[in-house]
Amino acid sequence: MTVIAGRYRLLDVLAEGATGTVWRALDGASGHEVALKESRVPPGLPADEAPALHARRERGARALARVSHPSVVRVLDVVAEDGRPWVATELVRGLTLAETLEAGGPLPAREAARVGADVLAGLRAAREAGVPHRGVEPEDVLLGNDGRVVVTGFGDAPEEAAGPKDGADPAAELRSLGRLLEAAADDRSGPLGAVIDALLGEGPEGPVTADRAERELRRVAGGGTRTPPGGTGAFGDGARKDRGGARADGDGSRAGGGAPGAAPGAADAPAPHRSAGEDDAAPAPGAPPGRKHKAPRRVPVLVAGVVGALLIAGALVYHAVRDDGPGAGPGAPGGVTSTVPAGSGATGADGVPATPRS
């Protein structure tokens, strides 16, 4: 097996492209597997320009080695072999975004936003170290088995497509991220679509900063519909717009449901809680505050009704008992027959009526 710089034993090819080949290699010093990038001269480049190209790539790799960020591939070593630089990086176990999209199709919007936010965080960290990416592609994004999102391919853009102007322009980097998210997301009509428009420079608010774009991507990834307090408003109130007007959201509702001139996100604000029985009518704007309509006093009415029913029932019982007294006979109201023994003066054998007892 081939050993590079007396240390890295080549095992098999992980990826291959116009700028070089990435090998899985065994580091003889540490005993760990690494990814080893072999630099390749692009077709058509004059031979006398190859040394300058290799020198630029070596400088870029050494600069990237100073970046410590979970979303930037970690450079472990830079060695030379046959006048070409070989760059050893951490071996991230997982699939590239391109492989993921090919195998399973586009990502759900929230997952795409999470990937985009991590990619942007890595791009910002590398740019601050003086290593712009010059154009991130799905092949440059690794989705680790541990959930990490790792950006690779720094300095891999073809020389004719990545001049000094592109490398120095942060907006170009954001546009490349917008194109990546357009290819990665399965739904671009909601809040994520508004962020993509802003990244591409097509949003209604004009160019967007990397800081704000990352905040909005993380908001979408978290399932939020509004920017957290203290932040700036969400792009387009969370709905992407067509060239000819507003686009319907996924649930068929028209974008921009708030009244004209409403504050961003106002249409998404929850309705204030009202207690049971409270009047729903609100006073007209500018009208003097009036007295609130109070709920009917149902409890006192119910108590009065129960008391009244009890009084009526008591009176009926009283009259019934009284009617059951002496002298009540078959002709008495209600047809109740008295069972009380008659006293003196009661009807005798001669049929003379008895005098009722008081």
Side-chain angles (χ1 to χ4, degrees):
M1 292 186 179
T2 304
V3 177
I4 302 300
R7 176 174 177 175
Y8 300 102
R9 186 181 301 276
L10 303 183
L11 301 178
D12 52 41
V13 174
L14 295 175
E16 195 166 6
T19 61
T21 302
V22 181
W23 296 81
R24 182 171 66 92
L26 180 65
D27 182 356
S30 66
H32 296 155
E33 290 187 354
V34 299
L36 191 64
K37 173 70 178 289
E38 172 190 2
S39 179
R40 177 181 299 167
V41 176
L45 186 71
D48 59 348
E49 295 182 14
L53 172 62
H54 292 320
R56 284 198 304 272
R57 289 178 174 174
E58 181 176 351
R59 287 195 302 269
R62 294 190 183 280
L64 190 62
R66 298 193 295 268
V67 179
S68 178
H69 191 279
S71 291
V72 175
V73 66
R74 186 159 52 97
V75 175
L76 305 175
D77 193 12
V78 181
V79 297
E81 183 82 8
D82 297 332
R84 296 178 297 163
W86 293 66
V87 182
T89 68
E90 62 175 324
L91 181 62
V92 180
R93 302 189 183 278
L95 298 175
T96 67
L97 178 58
E99 293 169 335
T100 301
L101 296 177
E102 182 179 357
L107 304 177
R110 289 180 60 176
E111 176 63 11
R114 182 188 76 86
V115 171
D118 286 352
V119 168
L120 182 51
L123 294 177
R124 295 177 66 191
R127 174 169 284 278
E128 290 174 1
V131 190
H133 195 285
R134 300 179 184 272
V136 62
E137 301 287 343
E139 294 80 5
D140 300 325
V141 179
L142 293 174
L143 305 181
N145 296 337
D146 58 357
R148 283 178 65 198
V149 177
V150 182
V151 182
T152 66
F154 290 91
D156 282 355
E159 298 302 311
E160 64 273 12
K165 181 178 179 181
D166 289 332
D169 182 12
E173 209 166 60
L174 295 181
R175 288 193 295 271
S176 73
L177 176 61
R179 291 189 294 270
L180 181 141
L181 290 176
E182 273 199 314
D186 65 352
D187 180 11
R188 297 180 292 278
S189 63
L192 178 58
V195 182
I196 292 175
D197 281 348
L199 288 169
L200 294 174
E202 300 172 358
E205 302 177 17
V208 64
T209 64
D211 178 68
R212 185 182 176 193
E214 183 180 344
R215 288 201 313 270
E216 292 297 328
L217 285 170
R218 296 205 183 279
R219 175 184 62 81
V220 176
T225 56
R226 297 180 63 189
T227 300
T232 53
F235 296 119
D237 287 340
R240 191 178 189 185
K241 297 181 179 179
D242 283 333
R243 297 295 177 269
R247 174 181 295 180
D249 285 334
D251 58 358
S253 60
R254 186 174 178 83
D268 297 326
H273 173 73
R274 284 193 175 101
S275 58
E278 187 176 359
D279 186 23
D280 290 333
R291 297 180 61 183
K292 292 183 178 179
H293 295 285
K294 296 184 179 179
R297 299 183 178 180
R298 296 186 180 89
V299 174
V301 173
L302 292 175
V303 172
V306 172
V307 172
L310 291 176
L311 290 175
I312 294 173
L316 291 175
V317 172
Y318 172 79
H319 286 290
V321 173
R322 188 173 181 183
D323 289 342
D324 285 344
V336 179
T337 302
S338 175
T339 57
V340 180
S344 57
T347 303
D350 56 359
V352 179
T355 304
R357 298 174 58 185
S358 58

